[in-house]
Amino acid sequence: MLDVIFTVGAYDTLARMFSSLELEMDDEIGEFMQRYDELF
């Protein structure tokens, strides 16, 4: 249960940081995710 809480909290923190700093996602993120899917 603690793993779930930590994971959600870390994701929320990262999302808030991206939002407050007005950062944009990389254009290559789709390519990275596709490679990850192929490996696992």
Side-chain angles (χ1 to χ4, degrees):
M1 187 66 181
L2 289 176
D3 289 340
V4 172
I5 294 170
F6 178 78
T7 301
V8 170
Y11 178 79
D12 183 56
T13 303
L14 185 63
R16 288 175 189 259
M17 182 187 74
F18 267 74
S19 179
S20 66
L21 296 176
E22 298 179 0
L23 299 175
E24 296 182 13
M25 298 294 282
D26 282 338
D27 293 335
E28 300 171 346
I29 195 73
E31 180 183 335
F32 291 136
M33 291 179 72
Q34 184 179 14
R35 278 195 246 160
Y36 179 81
D37 288 339
E38 291 172 0
L39 291 174
F40 301 102

